[in-house]
Amino acid sequence: MDTVRGRQVDEALAVLKRLPHRSARMIEKVIGSALANAQDRQDMDPSELCVTTATVDEGPRMKRMRPICRGMATIIQKRMSHLTVVLEPR
């Protein structure tokens, strides 16, 4: 998120396409969705939009039990995240 914060939308999407990380694909989808919402709901020009706020917050956890030796169990926590992107005209 730090790499796209403060950049224009088309530049941010171009940077994310070149990053090898799995999280870059998810951030790219979120920015694409925010761009589509801005075009559809508020008729904004995509060339003028800039990523002003981009945050990742902790989401809920799915808790699962896994059996281990001697009749005991351990908790496996599957963590999730909330991605927030705010686009504003420059």
Side-chain angles (χ1 to χ4, degrees), residues 7-90:
R7 294 182 186 234
Q8 290 203 348
V9 173
D10 52 353
E11 182 184 350
L13 290 173
V15 167
L16 287 171
K17 277 204 183 298
R18 292 185 188 97
L19 288 177
H21 309 294
R22 187 176 76 177
S23 61
R25 303 294 83 71
M26 296 176 201
I27 296 170
E28 188 177 348
K29 285 183 180 182
V30 171
I31 291 177
S33 175
L35 178 64
N37 287 339
Q39 289 175 342
D40 186 45
R41 294 182 184 169
Q42 298 164 350
D43 295 328
M44 294 185 169
D45 186 25
S47 62
E48 297 176 3
L49 291 175
C50 176
V51 179
T52 56
T53 306
T55 59
V56 179
D57 298 322
E58 185 177 355
R61 297 178 184 184
M62 283 194 313
K63 295 180 181 169
R64 300 288 182 260
M65 300 297 282
R66 179 175 184 206
I68 56 173
C69 64
R70 294 175 20 188
M72 292 185 282
T74 185
I75 297 175
I76 296 176
Q77 295 182 0
K78 299 185 178 189
R79 298 168 189 232
M80 294 180 235
S81 303
H82 291 169
L83 303 177
T84 306
V85 173
V86 177
L87 304 178
E88 291 182 359
R90 201 157 254 258

